[in-house]
Amino acid sequence: MEPKDQNSEQFPLFNLYPMPSGVSSSLNSVGFNTNEEQADNSLEVSVNKLIKSQLDEIVTSDLSKLNHHEIPLARVKKIMKADEDVKMINAETPAIFGKACELFIIELTHRAWVHTEESKRRTLQRSDIIMCIFKTDIFDFMQEIITQEKKNY
């Protein structure tokens, strides 16, 4: 029998899906590469702090918070079922995908906000998000979608 840590009692999913050894230490040093080197250190530091605070919130949250979801789970499940190959979805899966979507939106917004501030504005605009997508390597998968949408826009 494996020893239980304090997170496994507080967060029952850890019993089913334990964190691989070394993951928590590597999460503290997560870094993302961007194309421009100027001012990236402060952006990377702030993004890393944001990610760490979100992970800490996930690990330390109590069970009552697990039932509150920012993104409607019915919508997540509907999107998942849009794929013809998906027949059944485990009850926990939409919650995990919902949290992943939430984290994705938070990071994209945070990085786009940097572009807003660089432009000396106080309103996040579509152009800031597009700029963020094209300047950040981890969002490369969205560039083709943005390029196609721009043609239709």
Side-chain angles (χ1 to χ4, degrees):
M1 183 171 189
E2 294 181 33
K4 286 188 173 184
D5 61 2
Q6 109 186 71
N7 291 332
S8 64
E9 294 172 3
Q10 198 173 28
F11 201 60
L13 289 178
F14 282 11
N15 294 331
L16 299 173
Y17 309 104
M19 281 279 217
S21 60
V23 168
S24 58
S25 62
S26 66
L27 290 175
N28 293 334
S29 60
V30 173
F32 298 101
N33 297 324
T34 57
N35 294 334
E36 295 184 10
E37 295 298 322
Q38 298 175 353
D40 278 351
N41 284 341
S42 62
L43 173 62
E44 297 307 316
V45 168
S46 66
V47 168
N48 287 340
K49 284 181 184 177
L50 179 69
I51 291 171
K52 184 169 178 4
S53 70
Q54 291 293 317
L55 289 172
D56 289 344
E57 181 183 320
I58 291 168
V59 171
T60 60
S61 64
D62 59 355
L63 293 175
S64 63
K65 284 188 175 182
L66 292 176
N67 293 329
H68 174 72
H69 306 283
E70 296 294 329
I71 298 176
L73 296 185
R75 175 73 52 97
V76 173
K77 192 170 183 177
K78 184 177 179 180
I79 292 169
M80 293 172 71
K81 288 237 178 202
D83 185 351
E84 296 171 356
D85 296 335
V86 176
K87 301 295 181 209
M88 295 185 66
I89 299 172
N90 185 306
E92 296 171 339
T93 306
I96 294 169
F97 268 94
K99 187 62 177 177
C101 291
E102 183 183 336
L103 294 173
F104 173 78
I105 292 167
I106 288 170
E107 183 172 350
L108 181 61
T109 304
H110 183 77
R111 288 178 180 267
W113 181 252
V114 171
H115 296 287
T116 303
E117 288 181 329
E118 288 173 356
S119 301
K120 296 180 177 37
R121 287 183 281 107
R122 301 292 301 161
T123 304
L124 185 68
Q125 297 177 352
R126 183 176 187 267
S127 61
D128 299 317
I129 297 169
I130 292 171
M131 182 70 76
C132 171
I133 290 169
F134 280 96
K135 285 190 171 187
T136 309
D137 292 342
I138 60 170
F139 299 132
D140 282 351
F141 70 96
M142 294 174 51
Q143 289 181 0
E144 185 177 325
I145 298 166
I146 297 298
T147 306
Q148 289 174 354
E149 184 182 314
K150 207 173 192 178
K151 291 176 184 175
N152 297 333
Y153 188 65

PDB file of all heavy atoms in Angstrom, residues 73-107:
ATOM      1  N   LEU A  73     -20.169  22.734 -17.440  1.00  0.00           N
ATOM      2  CA  LEU A  73     -19.752  21.378 -17.798  1.00  0.00           C
ATOM      3  C   LEU A  73     -20.616  20.786 -18.900  1.00  0.00           C
ATOM      4  O   LEU A  73     -20.130  19.978 -19.698  1.00  0.00           O
ATOM      5  CB  LEU A  73     -19.770  20.479 -16.563  1.00  0.00           C
ATOM      6  CG  LEU A  73     -18.788  20.875 -15.461  1.00  0.00           C
ATOM      7  CD1 LEU A  73     -18.811  19.834 -14.358  1.00  0.00           C
ATOM      8  CD2 LEU A  73     -17.388  21.041 -16.001  1.00  0.00           C
ATOM      9  N   ALA A  74     -21.881  21.189 -18.976  1.00  0.00           N
ATOM     10  CA  ALA A  74     -22.744  20.692 -20.052  1.00  0.00           C
ATOM     11  C   ALA A  74     -22.209  21.153 -21.410  1.00  0.00           C
ATOM     12  O   ALA A  74     -22.232  20.388 -22.389  1.00  0.00           O
ATOM     13  CB  ALA A  74     -24.171  21.185 -19.858  1.00  0.00           C
ATOM     14  N   ARG A  75     -21.705  22.377 -21.460  1.00  0.00           N
ATOM     15  CA  ARG A  75     -21.128  22.897 -22.710  1.00  0.00           C
ATOM     16  C   ARG A  75     -19.852  22.136 -23.072  1.00  0.00           C
ATOM     17  O   ARG A  75     -19.628  21.776 -24.226  1.00  0.00           O
ATOM     18  CB  ARG A  75     -20.834  24.387 -22.538  1.00  0.00           C
ATOM     19  CG  ARG A  75     -20.127  25.061 -23.695  1.00  0.00           C
ATOM     20  CD  ARG A  75     -21.018  25.281 -24.905  1.00  0.00           C
ATOM     21  NE  ARG A  75     -22.250  25.936 -24.614  1.00  0.00           N
ATOM     22  CZ  ARG A  75     -22.478  27.239 -24.751  1.00  0.00           C
ATOM     23  NH1 ARG A  75     -21.525  28.026 -25.160  1.00  0.00           N
ATOM     24  NH2 ARG A  75     -23.656  27.743 -24.487  1.00  0.00           N
ATOM     25  N   VAL A  76     -19.012  21.868 -22.062  1.00  0.00           N
ATOM     26  CA  VAL A  76     -17.776  21.104 -22.298  1.00  0.00           C
ATOM     27  C   VAL A  76     -18.116  19.721 -22.827  1.00  0.00           C
ATOM     28  O   VAL A  76     -17.537  19.250 -23.813  1.00  0.00           O
ATOM     29  CB  VAL A  76     -16.938  21.002 -21.002  1.00  0.00           C
ATOM     30  CG1 VAL A  76     -15.746  20.073 -21.194  1.00  0.00           C
ATOM     31  CG2 VAL A  76     -16.479  22.378 -20.548  1.00  0.00           C
ATOM     32  N   LYS A  77     -19.087  19.075 -22.200  1.00  0.00           N
ATOM     33  CA  LYS A  77     -19.489  17.730 -22.619  1.00  0.00           C
ATOM     34  C   LYS A  77     -20.068  17.751 -24.035  1.00  0.00           C
ATOM     35  O   LYS A  77     -19.794  16.862 -24.847  1.00  0.00           O
ATOM     36  CB  LYS A  77     -20.509  17.160 -21.637  1.00  0.00           C
ATOM     37  CG  LYS A  77     -20.758  15.690 -21.811  1.00  0.00           C
ATOM     38  CD  LYS A  77     -21.583  15.140 -20.670  1.00  0.00           C
ATOM     39  CE  LYS A  77     -21.755  13.644 -20.842  1.00  0.00           C
ATOM     40  NZ  LYS A  77     -22.485  13.052 -19.720  1.00  0.00           N
ATOM     41  N   LYS A  78     -20.847  18.782 -24.361  1.00  0.00           N
ATOM     42  CA  LYS A  78     -21.427  18.907 -25.701  1.00  0.00           C
ATOM     43  C   LYS A  78     -20.324  19.046 -26.756  1.00  0.00           C
ATOM     44  O   LYS A  78     -20.393  18.427 -27.821  1.00  0.00           O
ATOM     45  CB  LYS A  78     -22.351  20.126 -25.736  1.00  0.00           C
ATOM     46  CG  LYS A  78     -23.080  20.319 -27.039  1.00  0.00           C
ATOM     47  CD  LYS A  78     -24.027  21.506 -26.958  1.00  0.00           C
ATOM     48  CE  LYS A  78     -24.753  21.721 -28.265  1.00  0.00           C
ATOM     49  NZ  LYS A  78     -25.667  22.857 -28.207  1.00  0.00           N
ATOM     50  N   ILE A  79     -19.301  19.836 -26.454  1.00  0.00           N
ATOM     51  CA  ILE A  79     -18.174  20.000 -27.381  1.00  0.00           C
ATOM     52  C   ILE A  79     -17.430  18.686 -27.534  1.00  0.00           C
ATOM     53  O   ILE A  79     -17.053  18.301 -28.648  1.00  0.00           O
ATOM     54  CB  ILE A  79     -17.234  21.119 -26.890  1.00  0.00           C
ATOM     55  CG1 ILE A  79     -17.940  22.474 -26.983  1.00  0.00           C
ATOM     56  CG2 ILE A  79     -15.937  21.128 -27.690  1.00  0.00           C
ATOM     57  CD1 ILE A  79     -17.220  23.614 -26.293  1.00  0.00           C
ATOM     58  N   MET A  80     -17.234  17.975 -26.434  1.00  0.00           N
ATOM     59  CA  MET A  80     -16.548  16.685 -26.497  1.00  0.00           C
ATOM     60  C   MET A  80     -17.345  15.682 -27.334  1.00  0.00           C
ATOM     61  O   MET A  80     -16.781  14.899 -28.086  1.00  0.00           O
ATOM     62  CB  MET A  80     -16.321  16.143 -25.085  1.00  0.00           C
ATOM     63  CG  MET A  80     -15.341  16.967 -24.270  1.00  0.00           C
ATOM     64  SD  MET A  80     -15.265  16.452 -22.553  1.00  0.00           S
ATOM     65  CE  MET A  80     -14.423  14.895 -22.713  1.00  0.00           C
ATOM     66  N   LYS A  81     -18.662  15.708 -27.204  1.00  0.00           N
ATOM     67  CA  LYS A  81     -19.523  14.775 -27.938  1.00  0.00           C
ATOM     68  C   LYS A  81     -19.660  15.148 -29.414  1.00  0.00           C
ATOM     69  O   LYS A  81     -20.195  14.369 -30.196  1.00  0.00           O
ATOM     70  CB  LYS A  81     -20.906  14.720 -27.292  1.00  0.00           C
ATOM     71  CG  LYS A  81     -20.901  13.991 -25.973  1.00  0.00           C
ATOM     72  CD  LYS A  81     -21.872  12.878 -26.053  1.00  0.00           C
ATOM     73  CE  LYS A  81     -21.855  12.095 -24.760  1.00  0.00           C
ATOM     74  NZ  LYS A  81     -22.353  10.778 -24.960  1.00  0.00           N
ATOM     75  N   ALA A  82     -19.189  16.329 -29.800  1.00  0.00           N
ATOM     76  CA  ALA A  82     -19.253  16.727 -31.201  1.00  0.00           C
ATOM     77  C   ALA A  82     -18.403  15.807 -32.075  1.00  0.00           C
ATOM     78  O   ALA A  82     -18.677  15.658 -33.266  1.00  0.00           O
ATOM     79  CB  ALA A  82     -18.795  18.175 -31.363  1.00  0.00           C
ATOM     80  N   ASP A  83     -17.417  15.169 -31.463  1.00  0.00           N
ATOM     81  CA  ASP A  83     -16.594  14.198 -32.173  1.00  0.00           C
ATOM     82  C   ASP A  83     -17.374  12.892 -32.266  1.00  0.00           C
ATOM     83  O   ASP A  83     -17.812  12.340 -31.253  1.00  0.00           O
ATOM     84  CB  ASP A  83     -15.278  13.982 -31.433  1.00  0.00           C
ATOM     85  CG  ASP A  83     -14.320  13.069 -32.176  1.00  0.00           C
ATOM     86  OD1 ASP A  83     -14.711  12.449 -33.186  1.00  0.00           O
ATOM     87  OD2 ASP A  83     -13.157  12.975 -31.739  1.00  0.00           O
ATOM     88  N   GLU A  84     -17.570  12.399 -33.488  1.00  0.00           N
ATOM     89  CA  GLU A  84     -18.354  11.188 -33.718  1.00  0.00           C
ATOM     90  C   GLU A  84     -17.756   9.968 -33.021  1.00  0.00           C
ATOM     91  O   GLU A  84     -18.476   9.041 -32.651  1.00  0.00           O
ATOM     92  CB  GLU A  84     -18.461  10.899 -35.215  1.00  0.00           C
ATOM     93  CG  GLU A  84     -19.194  11.954 -35.990  1.00  0.00           C
ATOM     94  CD  GLU A  84     -19.099  11.734 -37.497  1.00  0.00           C
ATOM     95  OE1 GLU A  84     -18.387  10.796 -37.927  1.00  0.00           O
ATOM     96  OE2 GLU A  84     -19.732  12.498 -38.228  1.00  0.00           O
ATOM     97  N   ASP A  85     -16.447   9.959 -32.833  1.00  0.00           N
ATOM     98  CA  ASP A  85     -15.782   8.803 -32.239  1.00  0.00           C
ATOM     99  C   ASP A  85     -15.994   8.712 -30.731  1.00  0.00           C
ATOM    100  O   ASP A  85     -15.800   7.651 -30.145  1.00  0.00           O
ATOM    101  CB  ASP A  85     -14.271   8.857 -32.523  1.00  0.00           C
ATOM    102  CG  ASP A  85     -13.977   8.745 -34.012  1.00  0.00           C
ATOM    103  OD1 ASP A  85     -14.817   8.171 -34.736  1.00  0.00           O
ATOM    104  OD2 ASP A  85     -12.918   9.239 -34.445  1.00  0.00           O
ATOM    105  N   VAL A  86     -16.383   9.804 -30.113  1.00  0.00           N
ATOM    106  CA  VAL A  86     -16.598   9.806 -28.661  1.00  0.00           C
ATOM    107  C   VAL A  86     -17.999   9.270 -28.377  1.00  0.00           C
ATOM    108  O   VAL A  86     -18.993   9.878 -28.752  1.00  0.00           O
ATOM    109  CB  VAL A  86     -16.421  11.227 -28.075  1.00  0.00           C
ATOM    110  CG1 VAL A  86     -16.754  11.226 -26.596  1.00  0.00           C
ATOM    111  CG2 VAL A  86     -15.019  11.733 -28.329  1.00  0.00           C
ATOM    112  N   LYS A  87     -18.054   8.122 -27.709  1.00  0.00           N
ATOM    113  CA  LYS A  87     -19.333   7.494 -27.391  1.00  0.00           C
ATOM    114  C   LYS A  87     -19.748   7.770 -25.953  1.00  0.00           C
ATOM    115  O   LYS A  87     -20.875   8.147 -25.688  1.00  0.00           O
ATOM    116  CB  LYS A  87     -19.255   5.976 -27.618  1.00  0.00           C
ATOM    117  CG  LYS A  87     -18.890   5.596 -29.038  1.00  0.00           C
ATOM    118  CD  LYS A  87     -19.960   6.010 -30.004  1.00  0.00           C
ATOM    119  CE  LYS A  87     -19.561   5.586 -31.401  1.00  0.00           C
ATOM    120  NZ  LYS A  87     -20.084   6.413 -32.441  1.00  0.00           N
ATOM    121  N   MET A  88     -18.815   7.567 -25.015  1.00  0.00           N
ATOM    122  CA  MET A  88     -19.123   7.770 -23.601  1.00  0.00           C
ATOM    123  C   MET A  88     -18.032   8.621 -22.976  1.00  0.00           C
ATOM    124  O   MET A  88     -16.874   8.556 -23.362  1.00  0.00           O
ATOM    125  CB  MET A  88     -19.227   6.427 -22.881  1.00  0.00           C
ATOM    126  CG  MET A  88     -20.382   5.582 -23.383  1.00  0.00           C
ATOM    127  SD  MET A  88     -20.608   4.079 -22.456  1.00  0.00           S
ATOM    128  CE  MET A  88     -21.096   4.704 -20.876  1.00  0.00           C
ATOM    129  N   ILE A  89     -18.438   9.416 -21.967  1.00  0.00           N
ATOM    130  CA  ILE A  89     -17.503  10.309 -21.289  1.00  0.00           C
ATOM    131  C   ILE A  89     -17.633  10.080 -19.790  1.00  0.00           C
ATOM    132  O   ILE A  89     -18.736  10.155 -19.239  1.00  0.00           O
ATOM    133  CB  ILE A  89     -17.805  11.783 -21.636  1.00  0.00           C
ATOM    134  CG1 ILE A  89     -17.647  12.005 -23.136  1.00  0.00           C
ATOM    135  CG2 ILE A  89     -16.902  12.714 -20.853  1.00  0.00           C
ATOM    136  CD1 ILE A  89     -18.103  13.367 -23.606  1.00  0.00           C
ATOM    137  N   ASN A  90     -16.521   9.794 -19.148  1.00  0.00           N
ATOM    138  CA  ASN A  90     -16.482   9.622 -17.710  1.00  0.00           C
ATOM    139  C   ASN A  90     -16.956  10.907 -17.039  1.00  0.00           C
ATOM    140  O   ASN A  90     -16.720  12.004 -17.535  1.00  0.00           O
ATOM    141  CB  ASN A  90     -15.040   9.297 -17.293  1.00  0.00           C
ATOM    142  CG  ASN A  90     -14.906   8.977 -15.836  1.00  0.00           C
ATOM    143  OD1 ASN A  90     -15.318   9.759 -14.983  1.00  0.00           O
ATOM    144  ND2 ASN A  90     -14.297   7.848 -15.549  1.00  0.00           N
ATOM    145  N   ALA A  91     -17.600  10.808 -15.888  1.00  0.00           N
ATOM    146  CA  ALA A  91     -18.180  11.968 -15.198  1.00  0.00           C
ATOM    147  C   ALA A  91     -17.128  13.006 -14.805  1.00  0.00           C
ATOM    148  O   ALA A  91     -17.411  14.199 -14.774  1.00  0.00           O
ATOM    149  CB  ALA A  91     -18.937  11.513 -13.962  1.00  0.00           C
ATOM    150  N   GLU A  92     -15.898  12.579 -14.509  1.00  0.00           N
ATOM    151  CA  GLU A  92     -14.849  13.508 -14.094  1.00  0.00           C
ATOM    152  C   GLU A  92     -14.213  14.246 -15.264  1.00  0.00           C
ATOM    153  O   GLU A  92     -13.649  15.321 -15.088  1.00  0.00           O
ATOM    154  CB  GLU A  92     -13.752  12.762 -13.336  1.00  0.00           C
ATOM    155  CG  GLU A  92     -14.215  12.147 -12.043  1.00  0.00           C
ATOM    156  CD  GLU A  92     -13.159  11.251 -11.443  1.00  0.00           C
ATOM    157  OE1 GLU A  92     -12.253  10.796 -12.173  1.00  0.00           O
ATOM    158  OE2 GLU A  92     -13.237  11.004 -10.231  1.00  0.00           O
ATOM    159  N   THR A  93     -14.305  13.686 -16.449  1.00  0.00           N
ATOM    160  CA  THR A  93     -13.597  14.231 -17.596  1.00  0.00           C
ATOM    161  C   THR A  93     -14.021  15.652 -17.957  1.00  0.00           C
ATOM    162  O   THR A  93     -13.152  16.503 -18.170  1.00  0.00           O
ATOM    163  CB  THR A  93     -13.740  13.280 -18.807  1.00  0.00           C
ATOM    164  OG1 THR A  93     -13.311  11.978 -18.411  1.00  0.00           O
ATOM    165  CG2 THR A  93     -12.906  13.747 -19.976  1.00  0.00           C
ATOM    166  N   PRO A  94     -15.300  15.990 -18.056  1.00  0.00           N
ATOM    167  CA  PRO A  94     -15.657  17.378 -18.364  1.00  0.00           C
ATOM    168  C   PRO A  94     -15.138  18.381 -17.336  1.00  0.00           C
ATOM    169  O   PRO A  94     -14.745  19.491 -17.693  1.00  0.00           O
ATOM    170  CB  PRO A  94     -17.187  17.365 -18.397  1.00  0.00           C
ATOM    171  CG  PRO A  94     -17.550  15.957 -18.699  1.00  0.00           C
ATOM    172  CD  PRO A  94     -16.486  15.137 -18.036  1.00  0.00           C
ATOM    173  N   ALA A  95     -15.090  17.987 -16.071  1.00  0.00           N
ATOM    174  CA  ALA A  95     -14.571  18.882 -15.035  1.00  0.00           C
ATOM    175  C   ALA A  95     -13.083  19.156 -15.247  1.00  0.00           C
ATOM    176  O   ALA A  95     -12.622  20.291 -15.112  1.00  0.00           O
ATOM    177  CB  ALA A  95     -14.811  18.288 -13.655  1.00  0.00           C
ATOM    178  N   ILE A  96     -12.341  18.129 -15.611  1.00  0.00           N
ATOM    179  CA  ILE A  96     -10.910  18.293 -15.856  1.00  0.00           C
ATOM    180  C   ILE A  96     -10.687  19.143 -17.100  1.00  0.00           C
ATOM    181  O   ILE A  96      -9.859  20.061 -17.102  1.00  0.00           O
ATOM    182  CB  ILE A  96     -10.221  16.910 -15.978  1.00  0.00           C
ATOM    183  CG1 ILE A  96     -10.284  16.201 -14.630  1.00  0.00           C
ATOM    184  CG2 ILE A  96      -8.783  17.063 -16.448  1.00  0.00           C
ATOM    185  CD1 ILE A  96      -9.893  14.755 -14.678  1.00  0.00           C
ATOM    186  N   PHE A  97     -11.436  18.860 -18.166  1.00  0.00           N
ATOM    187  CA  PHE A  97     -11.323  19.669 -19.382  1.00  0.00           C
ATOM    188  C   PHE A  97     -11.750  21.114 -19.116  1.00  0.00           C
ATOM    189  O   PHE A  97     -11.153  22.052 -19.640  1.00  0.00           O
ATOM    190  CB  PHE A  97     -12.164  19.084 -20.514  1.00  0.00           C
ATOM    191  CG  PHE A  97     -11.417  18.135 -21.393  1.00  0.00           C
ATOM    192  CD1 PHE A  97     -11.463  16.772 -21.151  1.00  0.00           C
ATOM    193  CD2 PHE A  97     -10.674  18.593 -22.459  1.00  0.00           C
ATOM    194  CE1 PHE A  97     -10.772  15.894 -21.962  1.00  0.00           C
ATOM    195  CE2 PHE A  97      -9.981  17.727 -23.277  1.00  0.00           C
ATOM    196  CZ  PHE A  97     -10.026  16.368 -23.023  1.00  0.00           C
ATOM    197  N   GLY A  98     -12.788  21.292 -18.321  1.00  0.00           N
ATOM    198  CA  GLY A  98     -13.251  22.640 -17.982  1.00  0.00           C
ATOM    199  C   GLY A  98     -12.175  23.435 -17.270  1.00  0.00           C
ATOM    200  O   GLY A  98     -11.953  24.610 -17.573  1.00  0.00           O
ATOM    201  N   LYS A  99     -11.497  22.797 -16.315  1.00  0.00           N
ATOM    202  CA  LYS A  99     -10.415  23.481 -15.596  1.00  0.00           C
ATOM    203  C   LYS A  99      -9.260  23.771 -16.543  1.00  0.00           C
ATOM    204  O   LYS A  99      -8.651  24.850 -16.482  1.00  0.00           O
ATOM    205  CB  LYS A  99      -9.945  22.639 -14.404  1.00  0.00           C
ATOM    206  CG  LYS A  99      -8.958  23.348 -13.525  1.00  0.00           C
ATOM    207  CD  LYS A  99      -9.572  24.598 -12.902  1.00  0.00           C
ATOM    208  CE  LYS A  99      -8.619  25.287 -11.969  1.00  0.00           C
ATOM    209  NZ  LYS A  99      -9.164  26.527 -11.415  1.00  0.00           N
ATOM    210  N   ALA A 100      -8.944  22.840 -17.435  1.00  0.00           N
ATOM    211  CA  ALA A 100      -7.881  23.068 -18.412  1.00  0.00           C
ATOM    212  C   ALA A 100      -8.229  24.248 -19.322  1.00  0.00           C
ATOM    213  O   ALA A 100      -7.372  25.092 -19.617  1.00  0.00           O
ATOM    214  CB  ALA A 100      -7.637  21.801 -19.242  1.00  0.00           C
ATOM    215  N   CYS A 101      -9.481  24.326 -19.751  1.00  0.00           N
ATOM    216  CA  CYS A 101      -9.923  25.460 -20.582  1.00  0.00           C
ATOM    217  C   CYS A 101      -9.811  26.769 -19.814  1.00  0.00           C
ATOM    218  O   CYS A 101      -9.385  27.787 -20.362  1.00  0.00           O
ATOM    219  CB  CYS A 101     -11.354  25.251 -21.056  1.00  0.00           C
ATOM    220  SG  CYS A 101     -11.553  23.931 -22.245  1.00  0.00           S
ATOM    221  N   GLU A 102     -10.196  26.736 -18.561  1.00  0.00           N
ATOM    222  CA  GLU A 102     -10.110  27.929 -17.719  1.00  0.00           C
ATOM    223  C   GLU A 102      -8.659  28.407 -17.607  1.00  0.00           C
ATOM    224  O   GLU A 102      -8.369  29.601 -17.760  1.00  0.00           O
ATOM    225  CB  GLU A 102     -10.675  27.608 -16.341  1.00  0.00           C
ATOM    226  CG  GLU A 102     -10.704  28.760 -15.394  1.00  0.00           C
ATOM    227  CD  GLU A 102     -11.219  28.355 -14.015  1.00  0.00           C
ATOM    228  OE1 GLU A 102     -11.949  27.349 -13.904  1.00  0.00           O
ATOM    229  OE2 GLU A 102     -10.876  29.065 -13.055  1.00  0.00           O
ATOM    230  N   LEU A 103      -7.736  27.478 -17.360  1.00  0.00           N
ATOM    231  CA  LEU A 103      -6.320  27.837 -17.253  1.00  0.00           C
ATOM    232  C   LEU A 103      -5.778  28.378 -18.577  1.00  0.00           C
ATOM    233  O   LEU A 103      -4.987  29.324 -18.604  1.00  0.00           O
ATOM    234  CB  LEU A 103      -5.509  26.632 -16.785  1.00  0.00           C
ATOM    235  CG  LEU A 103      -5.799  26.146 -15.371  1.00  0.00           C
ATOM    236  CD1 LEU A 103      -5.056  24.848 -15.089  1.00  0.00           C
ATOM    237  CD2 LEU A 103      -5.449  27.200 -14.348  1.00  0.00           C
ATOM    238  N   PHE A 104      -6.219  27.775 -19.681  1.00  0.00           N
ATOM    239  CA  PHE A 104      -5.810  28.233 -21.007  1.00  0.00           C
ATOM    240  C   PHE A 104      -6.272  29.675 -21.240  1.00  0.00           C
ATOM    241  O   PHE A 104      -5.506  30.533 -21.685  1.00  0.00           O
ATOM    242  CB  PHE A 104      -6.381  27.299 -22.079  1.00  0.00           C
ATOM    243  CG  PHE A 104      -6.157  27.777 -23.480  1.00  0.00           C
ATOM    244  CD1 PHE A 104      -4.924  27.633 -24.081  1.00  0.00           C
ATOM    245  CD2 PHE A 104      -7.178  28.373 -24.197  1.00  0.00           C
ATOM    246  CE1 PHE A 104      -4.710  28.079 -25.379  1.00  0.00           C
ATOM    247  CE2 PHE A 104      -6.975  28.815 -25.487  1.00  0.00           C
ATOM    248  CZ  PHE A 104      -5.732  28.665 -26.079  1.00  0.00           C
ATOM    249  N   ILE A 105      -7.518  29.962 -20.912  1.00  0.00           N
ATOM    250  CA  ILE A 105      -8.074  31.304 -21.103  1.00  0.00           C
ATOM    251  C   ILE A 105      -7.355  32.312 -20.208  1.00  0.00           C
ATOM    252  O   ILE A 105      -7.043  33.426 -20.640  1.00  0.00           O
ATOM    253  CB  ILE A 105      -9.593  31.302 -20.845  1.00  0.00           C
ATOM    254  CG1 ILE A 105     -10.293  30.492 -21.937  1.00  0.00           C
ATOM    255  CG2 ILE A 105     -10.141  32.723 -20.780  1.00  0.00           C
ATOM    256  CD1 ILE A 105     -11.736  30.156 -21.630  1.00  0.00           C
ATOM    257  N   ILE A 106      -7.071  31.918 -18.982  1.00  0.00           N
ATOM    258  CA  ILE A 106      -6.366  32.811 -18.059  1.00  0.00           C
ATOM    259  C   ILE A 106      -4.987  33.163 -18.606  1.00  0.00           C
ATOM    260  O   ILE A 106      -4.586  34.329 -18.616  1.00  0.00           O
ATOM    261  CB  ILE A 106      -6.258  32.170 -16.657  1.00  0.00           C
ATOM    262  CG1 ILE A 106      -7.620  32.159 -15.980  1.00  0.00           C
ATOM    263  CG2 ILE A 106      -5.228  32.897 -15.791  1.00  0.00           C
ATOM    264  CD1 ILE A 106      -7.663  31.339 -14.701  1.00  0.00           C
ATOM    265  N   GLU A 107      -4.252  32.159 -19.075  1.00  0.00           N
ATOM    266  CA  GLU A 107      -2.908  32.439 -19.584  1.00  0.00           C
ATOM    267  C   GLU A 107      -2.947  33.273 -20.860  1.00  0.00           C
ATOM    268  O   GLU A 107      -2.177  34.220 -21.012  1.00  0.00           O
ATOM    269  CB  GLU A 107      -2.127  31.151 -19.834  1.00  0.00           C
ATOM    270  CG  GLU A 107      -0.715  31.475 -20.291  1.00  0.00           C
ATOM    271  CD  GLU A 107       0.194  30.285 -20.373  1.00  0.00           C
ATOM    272  OE1 GLU A 107      -0.176  29.196 -19.900  1.00  0.00           O
ATOM    273  OE2 GLU A 107       1.283  30.450 -20.935  1.00  0.00           O
TER     274      GLU A 107
END
